[in-house]
C-alpha cells in the first residue's frame, strides 16, 4: 500500500496515500482496533459534523474575517458539502470504541475537510487552526450528537410512524362493522369491534409521536461555543448564537445555543429523555406486533382471526409453513432498543466534572435505535400491516362461542347467577342460552330479547 507522511504535534505518521485523513486519525485507527469494520462511527454523526463545521466556518468568517478569509471559508464549506452528502464516508474509518470525548472523530472531520478543501481550492488549510477554529472536541461532539439525533427522529423515525398510523386509519374504516371477542389476560373477554382494537394500536403510536416531538425541543439546544470546559475560551463573543443560527438555516430545524454550556458539555440528559420516548415507541411496537401474530396464529390451530401477507417460506423441513416474520423482526428490534436504552442511561450517568466521556457509545446506541426502529416500522407497514385482512367468519364464530358474553346478562340475572350460567355451559359443553334456561334464570324468549352480542361493543 502506498503511503504519505503526515505530521501532528506528536510527530510523523504514515497515512494511506489516497486517504483524506491525517496523522491524528491514523493514530486512532491504529490504537483502537476494537470493532473495526463493524462498529464505526455512525454516518449520521459524520454528516452532522459536516453541518457544524460548515456553520462554524461561516460564523468565523463573520466574526473573525482576518483569520477566516473568504477563500478559506469557501474551501471548508465546499468540503463540508461533500461530507454532508455522504461522498466522503469512506474517509471516516474510526470506531465507536475510542476516547469518550470523541476527540479523534472531531479531528477526523477536521483533517478530511482540510485536505479535501485544499484539493478543491488553491488555499492552505490547517485542521486545528482553520477547520476547528473557535471549537473544541468537547463542544463539537455533543453538538453533532444533538444534530444527528434531531434529524434522525424528525426526518426518519416520525415519518415511519406517520405511515403506519395512516395504515391503521384505513384498516379502522374497513373494519368498523366487524365485532369480535375481546381478550384480556389471554382469556376471552366481552365483545369489541375490530376497528376499536385497531384504534388502540393507532392511538398508541400517536401518543408516542407526541412524546418524541416533545423530546425534540431540548435536542435543539447546542453545546457549540462552550469549547473545552464550557467557558467559551478561544471563541469570539457571539460565536455560539451565530453558529446555532447558521445551523438552523442549513437544516431547517430551530437549533439554538444552549443557555448553560457547562451543562451542555457535562450532561446528556436530553438524549436520555429523547431515547426514553423512542423506547416507549419500541414498547408499543412490541405489543402491536405481538397482537398481530397472535391474531394471525394458525392457520388452523391458532386464533386465525386475521390473515397477513405470506412473504417467504417459514421452515426448511415443514413444507407450506409460513411465519409472521415481519412481526418477529419488529419484536427483535424492540428488544435491541430496550437494551440500548439501558446502555445510554448508564453512559449518561458517568460524566465527571466538566465533561461526559461516554459520548460515542451514547451516539452509537441512540442512532442505532432510531434507525432500526424506523426501518422496522416501514417494513412492518409495507409487508404486514398494509395486508391485514379480517376473517369475518372466524371472528363471528369465536364471538358467539365466547362464554364471556354472559356479562350481558348481569343486569337481568345478577353477577352470581351469570357466573353459574357460564360455568354450567363450560362444564357441559352447551350454549349460554341452554344453560341459562336450564337453571331457570330466563325463558328462551327473555334470553333472546336481552342477549345481543353485536350490540355489546358499542359504537
Amino acid at each position: 500500500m502506498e503511503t504519505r507522511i503526515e505530521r501532528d504535534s506528536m510527530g510523523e505518521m504514515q497515512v494511506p496515500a489516497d486517504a483524506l485523513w491525517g496523522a491524528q486519525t491514523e493514530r486512532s485507527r491504529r490504537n483502537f482496533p476494537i470493532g473495526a469494520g463493524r462498529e464505526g462511527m455512525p454516518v449520521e454523526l459524520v454528516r452532522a459534523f459536516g453541518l457544524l463545521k460548515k456553520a462554524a466556518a461561516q460564523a468565523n468568517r463573520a466574526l473573525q474575517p482576518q483569520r477566516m478569509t473568504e477563500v478559506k471559508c469557501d474551501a471548508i464549506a465546499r468540503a463540508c458539502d461533500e461530507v454532508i452528502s455522504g461522498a466522503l464516508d469512506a474517509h471516516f474509518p474510526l470506531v465507536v470504541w475510542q476516547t469518550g470525548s470523541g476527540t479523534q472523530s472531531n479531528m477526523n472531520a477536521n483533517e478530511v475537510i482540510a485536505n479535501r478543501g485544499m484539493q478543491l481550492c488553491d488555499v492552505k488549510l490547517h485542521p486545528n487552526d482553520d477547520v476547528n477554529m473557535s471549537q473544541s472536541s468537547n463542544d463539537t461532539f455533543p453538538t453533532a450528537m444533538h444534530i444527528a439525533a434531531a434529524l434522525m427522529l424528525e426526518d426518519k423515525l416520525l415519518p415511519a410512524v406517520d405511515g403506519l398510523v395512516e395504515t391503521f386509519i384505513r384498516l379502522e374504516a374497513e373494519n368498523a362493522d366487524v365485532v369480535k371477542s375481546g381478550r384480556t389476560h389471554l382469556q376471552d373477554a366481552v365483545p369489541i369491534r375490530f376497528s376499536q382494537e385497531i384504534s388502540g394500536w393507532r392511538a398508541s403510536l400517536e401518543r408516542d409521536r407526541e412524546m418524541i416531538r416533545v423530546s425534540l425541543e431540548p435536542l435543539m439546544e447546542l453545546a457549540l461555543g462552550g469549547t473545552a470546559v464550557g467557558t467559551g475560551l478561544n471563541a469570539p463573543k457571539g460565536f455560539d448564537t451565530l453558529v446555532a443560527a447558521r445551523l438552523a438555516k442549513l437544516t431547517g430545524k430551530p437549533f439554538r445555543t444552549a443557555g448553560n454550556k457547562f451543562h451542555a458539555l457535562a450532561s446528556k440528559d436530553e438524549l436520555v429523555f429523547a431515547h426514553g420516548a423512542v423506547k416507549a415507541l419500541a414498547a408499543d411496537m412490541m405489543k402491536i406486533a405481538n397482537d398481530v401474530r397472535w391474531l394471525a396464529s394458525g392457520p388452523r390451530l391458532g386464533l386465525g382471526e386475521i390473515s397477513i401477507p405470506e412473504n417467504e417460506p417459514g421452515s426448511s423441513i415443514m413444507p407450506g409453513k409460513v411465519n409472521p416474520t415481519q412481526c418477529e423482526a419488529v419484536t427483535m428490534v424492540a428488544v435491541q432498543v430496550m437494551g440500548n436504552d439501558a446502555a445510554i442511561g448508564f453512559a449518561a450517568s458517568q460524566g465527571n466534572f466538566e465533561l461526559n466521556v461516554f459520548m460515542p457509545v451514547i451516539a452509537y446506541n441512540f442512532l442505532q435505535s432510531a434507525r432500526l426502529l424506523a426501518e422496522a416500522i416501514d417494513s412492518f407497514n409495507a409487508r404486514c400491516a398494509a395486508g391485514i385482512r379480517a376473517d369475518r367468519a372466524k371472528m363471528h364464530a369465536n364471538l358467539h362461542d365466547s362464554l364471556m358474553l354472559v356479562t350481558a346478562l348481569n343486569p337481568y340475572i345478577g353477577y352470581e347467577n351469570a357466573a353459574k350460567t357460564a360455568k354450567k355451559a363450560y362444564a357441559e359443553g352447551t350454549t349460554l342460552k341452554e344453560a341459562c334456561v336450564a337453571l331457570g334464570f330466563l325463558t328462551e324468549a327473555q334470553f333472546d330479547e336481552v342477549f345481543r352480542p353485536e350490540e355489546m361493543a358499542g359504537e
Side-chain angles (χ1 to χ4, degrees):
M1 180 179 65
E2 292 187 21
T3 62
R4 70 179 192 275
I5 299 297
E6 287 279 340
R7 295 170 181 81
D8 62 11
S9 61
M10 294 184 71
E12 295 184 345
M13 285 291 294
Q14 287 191 332
V15 175
D18 59 350
L20 287 175
W21 65 78
Q24 291 199 50
T25 303
E26 185 63 21
R27 290 186 195 280
S28 180
R29 193 169 75 96
R30 297 185 189 187
N31 286 336
F32 297 98
I34 309 169
R38 301 183 305 277
E39 294 166 1
M41 201 61 70
V43 294
E44 297 88 357
L45 195 74
V46 169
R47 294 168 193 177
F49 264 109
L51 286 164
L52 79 86
K53 295 295 179 182
K54 180 175 182 177
Q58 292 174 343
N60 279 317
R61 173 63 184 153
L63 297 171
Q64 304 183 89
Q66 72 283 4
R67 293 183 59 200
M68 180 59 68
T69 64
E70 184 176 355
V71 66
K72 284 184 177 181
C73 184
D74 183 58
I76 291 171
R78 289 177 61 185
C80 286
D81 286 340
E82 293 190 2
V83 173
I84 296 164
S85 73
L88 303 182
D89 284 354
H91 297 277
F92 290 84
L94 301 187
V95 295
V96 173
W97 317 110
Q98 52 166 280
T99 177
S101 64
T103 298
Q104 282 92 30
S105 283
N106 179 48
M107 284 308 305
N108 189 176
N110 292 333
E111 290 174 344
V112 168
I113 292 167
N115 285 329
R116 182 57 179 153
M118 287 188 289
Q119 289 178 354
L120 293 169
C121 301
D122 184 19
V123 63
K124 180 69 175 176
L125 292 174
H126 191 280
N128 298 79
D129 294 337
D130 297 315
V131 184
N132 200 58
M133 186 186 298
S134 309
Q135 304 153 62
S136 163
S137 300
N138 297 352
D139 65 348
T140 59
F141 202 93
T143 296
M145 290 169 70
H146 276 212
I147 294 169
L151 294 178
M152 178 68 84
L153 294 181
E154 196 161 34
D155 296 347
K156 190 173 177 71
L157 184 56
L158 288 180
V161 173
D162 291 342
L164 187 52
V165 166
E166 289 302 314
T167 293
F168 286 153
I169 289 173
R170 173 178 62 79
L171 289 173
E172 285 178 63
E174 292 174 1
N175 293 281
D177 62 333
V178 181
V179 179
K180 62 185 286 293
S181 179
R183 295 181 177 87
T184 59
H185 304 272
L186 293 181
Q187 303 294 308
D188 302 341
V190 296
I192 186 173
R193 294 184 185 277
F194 188 33
S195 59
Q196 293 170 328
E197 193 166 48
I198 297 168
S199 78
W201 302 341
R202 169 185 53 77
S204 294
L205 295 180
E206 290 173 337
R207 178 56 55 86
D208 294 328
R209 181 172 60 191
E210 291 173 13
M211 291 188 290
I212 290 172
R213 290 200 182 281
V214 169
S215 78
L216 277 166
E217 177 65 17
L219 290 176
M220 297 302 163
E221 290 199 358
L222 304 179
L224 206 60
T227 65
V229 296
T231 62
L233 180 67
N234 290 347
K237 185 178 180 180
F239 176 78
D240 55 353
T241 55
L242 182 54
V243 77
R246 296 283 182 172
L247 278 165
K249 185 175 181 180
L250 286 172
T251 62
K253 312 296 182 187
F255 289 117
R256 61 189 182 277
T257 192
N260 188 307
K261 304 298 192 302
F262 307 104
H263 164 82
L265 269 61
S267 175
K268 297 291 153 277
D269 51 8
E270 297 91 351
L271 289 156
V272 173
F273 180 63
H275 196 272
V278 174
K279 182 178 71 169
L281 173 60
D284 280 328
M285 285 305 302
M286 172 77 84
K287 191 266 183 191
I288 292 167
N290 278 334
D291 282 358
V292 169
R293 62 176 169 178
W294 270 106
L295 290 171
S297 60
R300 291 187 173 178
L301 306 181
L303 295 179
E305 291 189 344
I306 65 172
S307 63
I308 57 177
E310 298 181 353
N311 297 319
E312 63 274 311
S315 174
S316 61
I317 189 173
M318 294 176 279
K321 193 171 189 294
V322 179
N323 297 327
T325 52
Q326 290 294 318
C327 298
E328 291 164 6
V330 167
T331 55
M332 286 193 290
V333 166
V335 167
Q336 183 66 53
V337 171
M338 292 172 190
N340 287 351
D341 191 72
I344 289 169
F346 281 121
S349 73
Q350 296 302 304
N352 299 115
F353 302 111
E354 278 64 62
L355 187 68
N356 177 285
V357 289
F358 287 73
M359 289 190 288
V361 73
I362 293 173
Y364 180 76
N365 282 283
F366 189 106
L367 294 170
Q368 183 193 58
S369 288
R371 184 190 317 111
L372 285 178
L373 198 50
E375 292 170 357
I377 292 171
D378 277 337
S379 184
F380 176 76
N381 186 19
R383 297 173 179 84
C384 182
I388 289 175
R389 298 291 181 270
D391 187 329
R392 295 178 176 234
K394 185 63 180 286
M395 286 183 175
H396 183 272
N398 285 348
L399 173 66
H400 285 267
D401 201 34
S402 172
L403 296 175
M404 289 306 99
L405 296 179
V406 76
T407 307
L409 303 180
N410 285 0
Y412 305 99
I413 65 176
Y415 181 93
E416 297 294 341
N417 288 339
K420 291 176 183 178
T421 299
K423 290 179 179 179
K424 180 178 177 64
Y426 181 66
E428 298 177 0
T430 62
T431 65
L432 288 172
K433 180 178 181 178
E434 290 168 330
C436 186
V437 172
L439 288 168
F441 297 143
L442 293 173
T443 65
E444 289 190 20
Q446 290 172 324
F447 185 94
D448 290 340
E449 183 178 349
V450 301
F451 190 75
R452 300 180 185 279
E454 278 75 16
E455 295 180 5
M456 294 173 67
E459 296 299 327

